[in-house]
Amino acid sequence: MQNRLSKTVIAVSAASFLGSAIGAGVILGASGIFSVNDRVQSIETALNSQESTGVETTQLDASMLSSAIAEGISAHFDAQRSSAREEKFAAYTLAEETVEGDTWVYGNPDARFTLYTFADTQCSFCQRFHTTPKELVAASDGLVNAQYHPMTIMNRLSEPQAVASECAGQLEGNRAFWVYLDELYTNVDSATTSQSMTDLAGAIGLDEEAFASCLRDQDVIAQVREDNRSAQNQGITGTPTSIIIDHSTGNTETVGGAQPVGAFIEVIRGMINESPSEDAPEDIG
């Protein structure tokens, strides 16, 4: 009788919990409900086994129910996070998972042209510009790749946000760098602390503990500062500034400001027209 009563109490508790969750705005998807049901079935099996041996189960039953519900909800939200991560990474398939060297490359690593951009996440013009290199690479059909280099000149958040994007690449690879950089620009006003930047990393599936440790890594901070010095040594005084490099001829063109994709296409067309005919591809864009 006691065991049957325990089972009834468990069923009522489960219904009450799920009713409260729905009332609070928590809606479990198919994967979460399935996981809860799966665990509850295992509890029922255990209860039947305990009942047959005469084991007292009242306290254990409540613990098992709580565990089943927690695991089901956790599985549901893990599935949601995994789906969100896949969606974000799918938007950056033109970025290879790994690249050679110490820079991050979006697009064909062997492209003839590179859009080499110095930018600062705290710069409003850079925020407006940050999707342009991606659009240019997509339009070029392998002719152009993009590289991003931080120039941390705006305010106290410039350097830590640059370090954060560098950490994403170091921990998870080239594509993760570009995905995180996009997340950072999209959430630039809220990613103002180490914790909020770490939360962004967790949202795209990075190890939050390793990421938080990387934010304090003096070698990573020194690398970001070296990028900044490199920009200044090249006479760059504002962001965004992009240098278009023609690897076929060695020629370069500097384009300042948040220019549209069309402006870069015109510059590249001009560089192609000035090159020897045997080096010239058909066109871009």
Side-chain angles (χ1 to χ4, degrees), residues 46-120:
L47 288 174
N48 290 333
S49 174
Q50 291 164 356
E51 193 173 62
S52 67
T53 58
V55 176
E56 180 62 50
T57 62
T58 304
Q59 301 235 346
L60 181 59
D61 295 348
S63 174
M64 294 174 74
L65 170 67
S66 176
S67 175
I69 292 172
E71 288 184 21
I73 292 174
S74 176
H76 170 68
F77 287 112
D78 283 347
Q80 280 191 327
R81 284 191 290 268
S82 177
S83 177
R85 181 187 190 277
E86 290 175 4
E87 183 179 347
K88 292 178 188 298
F89 273 70
Y92 280 84
T93 53
L94 290 183
E96 298 196 3
E97 293 286 354
T98 59
V99 293
E100 296 182 1
D102 58 356
T103 193
W104 310 115
V105 180
Y106 184 75
N108 173 19
D110 299 320
R112 172 175 170 176
F113 291 91
T114 291
L115 185 70
Y116 190 106
T117 298
F118 290 102
D120 186 331

Side-chain angles (χ1 to χ4, degrees), residues 223-237:
Q223 184 172 342
V224 167
R225 291 175 179 172
E226 178 57 35
D227 264 337
N228 196 47
R229 282 191 294 271
S230 173
Q232 293 173 346
N233 290 340
Q234 293 181 60
I236 307 299
T237 59

